[in-house]
Each structure stands twice: as structure tokens, then as C-alpha cells.
Amino acid sequence: MNLTDTFKRVKVASKSLALLSDTQRNEILNAVADAIVDYKERILVANEKDLAKMDIKNPLYDRLQLTEKRLDDIAADMRNVASLPTPLGHITKEKKLPNGLRLCRVSAPFGVIGMIYEARPNVTFDVFSLCFKSGNACVLKGGSDADLSNQESVKLIHEVLKRFNVNPDVVTLLPATHEATGEMLNAVGYIDLCIPRGGRRLIDFVRDTARIPVIETGAGVVNAYFDEDGDLEMGKAIICNAKTRRVSVCNALDCLIIHEKRLGELFVKPLLDHKVTIYADAPAYQLLNGHYPDILLRPATADSFGTEFMDYKMAIKTVTSLEEALAHIDQYGSGHSEAIITQNEENARIFQQQVDAACVYWNAPTSFTDGAQFGLGAEIGISTQKLGPRGPMALEEITTYKWLIEGEGQTRP
């Protein structure tokens, strides 16, 4: 397999996006949103074929599944992106030098963004909307689990682009093969930025293999600390929402850290209602044994902490202090999202200052770590790195800048 010609076509097509006005981009995005709603049956039929190949008990099944409601929501998110101000052409710095040169730093597209993702067909539309709005072409490499869904989605986008006389190569779906991933990661000179969105194994592979710039996103080992001064009813609601709202997404809770003085109030009833398997450390296991179903209770091992379960599973760690909770997060967290539940403002501020993560919550569930929830329209991923964008990435995070310099014939001595 040689995809060089494909990458060349995308690179050429990306230049044509600069000729579109923001009004034109918005019109096209709204037209694609309309097409998603009008032709949702096409996408659902393709998605059903993908779903038929996956065990319904697989935690990824929920990620893979599209429904009429989810497609309506995807279309609404795309319209929302269209309604946002353009991220392009913003002057972020302006000055005049003593020699008369006028300098202007202005936001600009990266050019071509490569996206690698797994069983998440919604990402196809999210990435297209954000890239198109920000003037970037995109090369998509989806997983084999969602290949038919992705193919139908890109086919629909291409139909709309052709209607508006836009080169369809600005959105290109690669074959769902490992070979295609390898070529993408070596597309030096064609792909300006690669964003992997998936589990830790995928992200580690991309980071260790790529010869093009990479932004790490996605993998989330998420902790929530129930402090000595936490409100019990608030804690029940937050923990349950963070763990059970959607277990297969990266903002789902993996470990409840609880102060030993509150261990006797361990609020597992909401978790039991959802049949969550608990991996409890020794103090929590001793308390739960005989009060939580044996089939759902396991002693925690060293691997229980630092695991992104992506399932109805959760670890419990007992601590004696805020400092011990912070040390646990420092050792096992992934820099994604962390939370503290407390009525003690001083403890909350210390937690927020010392936890090293993209998103740090006080009395709120980590399930809010999402570009749409943050008011960004949609997200292309959640960055867990520190260089460049961090947290939910949307329009502004997938633009760069360039310096524009105007002179009147000055030369440098």
C-alpha cells in the first residue's frame, strides 16, 4: 500500500480552503448537518452492520452505536460550530519596529490534520466540522470496528462538498488497516499535525512511531477524592454520574479516593444499582464484604489503580489525608481529569493548585470534560500534554499563527 498520492491530493486541496469565506464555510457546514438528518437512515444502516460484528456486552459497543437521537445531536453540534466566530485572521500581536517595519501576528490553519480514532463514528463528523471551520483539511483513519459507518459518513460529506464545488479531498478517509496508520505517521511534508484519539495503547504507539508532530489526547485514568469535609448527598450524585453516565468515554471515573473518616458512609448504593464491580483496597474491602454482592466485589491489586476501565468497574482507595490523596493521583493519574468533593475551600484550593491535570473539578463530576459542555461547539480531542493545547481541543486549538511583515524598502544593516 502506498498512500503518497492520496496525501499529495489532500495537501493540494487544503490550499483551496483559504479561498472560502467564513460565510461559505458556515453554509456548507449547515448543509452537511441537514444531510445528516435527512439521510440518517443511510448512516444507521451502515452502523448496524458494524454493530453486528461486535459483542453487545463489549464496553465499546456504546461508543460505536449511532441512533437517530445521536445523529440529531451530531447535526446540532455541527450547526453550533457553524455559528461560532471564525478562529482565523485574529490579530494576536501587533507592533511597529523603530526601523518602520510593521509586524502582525495572525491566527492561521495548520493545513492538514491527521486523525486516528477507534470505534467512534461520531468523531468523523466532529473532526470534519472543526477542521473545515478552521480552514484545515483532514485525513481520517478510523478503526475497523466503525469502518462502514465512517465510509457512509464521509460519502455524505463528499456529496455536499461537490454540490458547493469544494474539492472533496479536503476530507479523506484512509483504509482501516494498520498499514494505513503506519503510512499516515510517516507522511512528512503532507500531514502537519496528527491527533490520536483512543486508548493508551493507541496513543503510546502513535507517539513512539510518528515522524510528524503529535498531540496526545484521550487516555484518561480519572480519580475523584471524597474529602473528610465532603457532602454525602452531593458525593453520591457526583460519583454515580462520573462513573455510570457513559463508562466507555475517557472522562469516566476509574478510582474513588475516600478519606478514612468517611469510609463508614461509603455510598455504594447508586453503584450497586448499575452493577458496578468494585476493586477495593483492604479497609474498603473489609467494610464492603458482606454488604456488597460477592460477584461484584474484588480485592484491589496493584493493577487496579492506574487502570482506565472503560467499563462498569471502579477502584476504591482509602487515604488518611488530602496529601495522601494528592500523592495517589500524582502516581496513578494520566493528566486528564481529577475531582475533589469537599465543603472545605482551603482543601479544594490546595487540590486545584497541586493536581497536575488538564481539568480539575471541585464539587462537580468529571463527566463535564467535553468540548461541547465547555461551550466550544465540539471537540477534536482532549489533550493531556502540556506543550501546546491542553484539555478539550476545538477551533482555537487547531489553529497556529504566522507573522505578517510590511515594509517600505528597509534593508538590514
Side-chain angles (χ1 to χ4, degrees):
M1 178 184 296
N2 190 323
L3 296 173
T4 301
D5 287 342
T6 298
F7 297 141
K8 285 180 179 178
R9 289 197 299 272
V10 178
K11 190 71 173 179
V12 170
S14 71
K15 305 295 184 183
S16 66
L17 290 176
L19 303 177
L20 296 176
S21 67
D22 190 53
T23 299
Q24 289 172 310
R25 291 192 189 99
N26 295 340
E27 185 180 5
I28 292 168
L29 286 174
N30 282 317
V32 174
D34 290 341
I36 293 170
V37 174
D38 292 342
Y39 301 103
K40 64 177 64 171
E41 189 60 32
R42 286 171 46 182
I43 303 171
L44 292 175
V45 167
N47 186 241
E48 282 294 332
K49 293 178 182 177
D50 285 330
L51 289 170
K53 296 179 291 183
M54 181 179 284
D55 185 348
I56 194 170
K57 296 179 181 178
N58 189 324
L60 297 181
Y61 190 92
D62 179 61
R63 271 188 184 177
L64 177 60
Q65 186 173 37
L66 293 173
T67 63
E68 289 199 20
K69 173 67 165 57
R70 288 184 178 181
L71 288 174
D72 286 340
D73 289 344
I74 289 169
D77 285 343
M78 190 170 293
R79 293 189 185 99
N80 191 19
V81 170
S83 72
L84 295 173
T86 178
L88 302 175
H90 293 177
I91 296 173
T92 57
K93 188 172 288 188
E94 199 170 13
K95 64 191 300 185
K96 187 174 183 179
L97 300 181
N99 63 8
L101 284 178
R102 296 181 296 278
L103 276 63
C104 178
R105 192 174 73 182
V106 60
S107 57
F110 271 99
V112 179
I113 293 179
M115 189 78 192
I116 302 176
Y117 52 109
E118 296 171 323
R120 305 166 183 241
N122 63 295
V123 172
T124 300
F125 289 117
D126 290 346
V127 172
F128 162 71
S129 64
L130 291 169
C131 285
F132 194 75
K133 174 77 174 182
S134 58
N136 292 291
C138 56
V139 177
L140 307 174
K141 167 57 183 67
S144 57
D145 289 334
D147 192 39
L148 296 177
S149 304
N150 292 334
Q151 287 185 41
E152 193 61 41
S153 299
V154 171
K155 182 180 178 182
L156 194 67
I157 293 170
H158 282 174
E159 289 170 5
V160 175
L161 291 176
K162 290 174 183 176
R163 227 168 62 215
F164 284 85
N165 296 314
V166 175
N167 188 337
D169 289 334
V170 298
V171 186
T172 295
L173 179 68
L174 300 184
T177 63
H178 294 301
E179 292 78 10
T181 301
E183 289 208 41
M184 183 180 190
L185 297 178
N186 285 279
V188 177
Y190 300 114
I191 295 179
D192 299 288
L193 176 68
C194 178
I195 303 173
R197 186 167 170 178
R200 172 52 58 192
R201 287 179 60 190
L202 170 66
I203 293 168
D204 287 347
F205 173 78
V206 170
R207 183 194 60 232
D208 296 342
T209 307
R211 294 176 59 227
I212 56 178
V214 172
I215 293 179
E216 293 185 42
T217 73
V221 177
V222 177
N223 303 276
Y225 170 51
F226 188 73
D227 185 44
E228 180 180 0
D229 297 315
D231 179 275
L232 184 60
E233 293 305 314
M234 181 187 294
K236 288 180 182 180
I238 289 174
I239 298 304
C240 183
N241 186 259
K243 175 67 261 181
T244 67
R245 178 188 166 272
R246 286 189 71 186
V247 297
S248 64
V249 294
C250 58
N251 58 29
L253 180 64
D254 296 298
C255 179
L256 168 61
I257 307 169
I258 187 165
H259 194 283
E260 63 175 2
K261 291 184 179 179
R262 305 304 297 276
L263 195 57
E265 303 172 83
L266 198 59
F267 34 90
V268 293
K269 177 65 166 62
L271 301 175
L272 178 56
D273 291 342
H274 289 85
K275 295 183 172 57
V276 174
T277 298
I278 290 177
Y279 297 84
D281 67 358
Y285 188 88
Q286 184 177 358
L287 179 74
L288 290 171
N289 194 18
H291 300 280
Y292 200 77
D294 290 345
I295 196 171
L296 297 175
L297 184 61
R298 304 279 188 277
T301 66
D303 293 334
S304 301
F305 309 114
T307 294
E308 184 182 15
F309 287 109
M310 300 173 69
D311 201 348
Y312 286 95
K313 299 177 180 179
M314 189 184 79
I316 295 181
K317 170 68 176 177
T318 308
V319 296
T320 60
S321 65
L322 170 63
E323 289 72 25
E324 193 178 346
L326 290 168
H328 182 88
I329 292 171
D330 191 49
Q331 180 176 358
Y332 294 106
S334 64
H336 190 291
S337 300
E338 309 288 355
I340 183 172
I341 303 157
T342 186
Q343 299 303 106
N344 185 319
E345 182 174 353
E346 181 181 359
N347 282 359
R349 295 305 179 199
I350 291 171
F351 186 90
Q352 289 186 313
Q353 289 166 5
Q354 294 199 13
V355 165
D356 186 9
C359 301
V360 185
Y361 291 83
W362 174 19
N363 289 344
T366 54
S367 49
F368 281 107
T369 301
D370 176 87
Q373 293 296 313
F374 278 25
L376 305 178
E379 70 180 28
I380 202 167
I382 297 172
S383 171
T384 55
Q385 65 183 38
K386 298 181 185 179
L387 184 62
R390 197 178 195 196
M393 298 168 53
L395 293 172
E396 290 185 11
E397 288 74 27
I398 54 174
T399 60
T400 181
Y401 60 80
K402 57 184 174 183
W403 289 92
L404 305 180
I405 303 97
E406 295 182 11
E408 296 172 340
Q410 295 95 325
T411 57
R412 184 174 176 177

